[in-house]
Amino acid sequence: MRKSVQHMLEDILRDYPKLPGYIKQREDELKYPTPEQDDNVGGGRALNKLSDPVGREVITINDDRWLQQLKKERQAIDECLDESGVVTEKIIQETYFKGNVGLRMVDLCDRQIIPVSTTKAYELRNSFLVELGKKLNVDVM
């Protein structure tokens, strides 16, 4: 796996605990848009202006690419975690979700936080990243 792809997938995993907040924030931005400021001072009235906020909301929430990407990432990670074993899930949680800054895989294995050897932990992590990349349609090789 290329390092750039690995780093991208690792960044997505680090953001996973924050994804529900990002999704909610984006939906709120689409539901309650800030009105555009009218710079037309002294202009006439807009007679043909349509006001359909509910219709615009449905279209924009369903069509918003960023929101759909966030949901896709969340679903892919959930599926990979469901399909992985207990040890792999523990590796992913300790490495990416808990934010163990400064603790490397070697440290986690030495402290028996992860109950496998360092080599096996790297293998399990790498296979998880490959599966996640496949679910996200990322060229992992």
Side-chain angles (χ1 to χ4, degrees), residues 1-13:
M1 177 181 301
R2 294 186 322 248
K3 282 291 185 186
S4 60
V5 173
Q6 180 180 345
H7 290 305
M8 182 194 70
L9 293 172
E10 288 175 341
D11 288 341
I12 290 171
L13 283 170

Side-chain angles (χ1 to χ4, degrees), residues 40-67:
N40 188 5
V41 179
R45 290 184 290 159
L47 300 174
N48 297 327
K49 187 175 182 181
L50 297 176
S51 177
D52 184 20
V54 176
R56 279 196 332 259
E57 173 185 325
V58 171
I59 293 170
T60 56
I61 286 179
N62 290 335
D63 294 339
D64 188 62
R65 289 182 181 164
W66 187 43
L67 181 61

Side-chain angles (χ1 to χ4, degrees), residues 56-126:
R56 279 196 332 259
E57 173 185 325
V58 171
I59 293 170
T60 56
I61 286 179
N62 290 335
D63 294 339
D64 188 62
R65 289 182 181 164
W66 187 43
L67 181 61
Q68 297 308 318
Q69 181 64 28
L70 291 174
K71 289 180 178 180
K72 180 181 176 182
E73 288 174 4
R74 183 178 182 186
Q75 181 180 1
I77 294 171
D78 286 340
E79 288 175 5
C80 285
L81 287 172
D82 290 342
E83 295 169 1
S84 66
V86 176
V87 176
T88 304
E89 191 172 334
K90 180 78 171 169
I91 291 169
I92 300 303
Q93 286 177 352
E94 291 294 331
T95 309
Y96 302 111
F97 300 165
K98 289 190 177 180
N100 289 326
V101 179
L103 290 181
R104 301 171 301 163
M105 191 77 71
V106 176
D107 299 329
L108 294 171
C109 292
D110 287 345
R111 294 180 185 180
Q112 297 295 321
I113 296 172
I114 298 173
V116 293
S117 69
T118 305
T119 305
K120 183 66 175 175
Y122 279 118
E123 288 174 7
L124 292 171
R125 193 245 357 231
N126 291 341

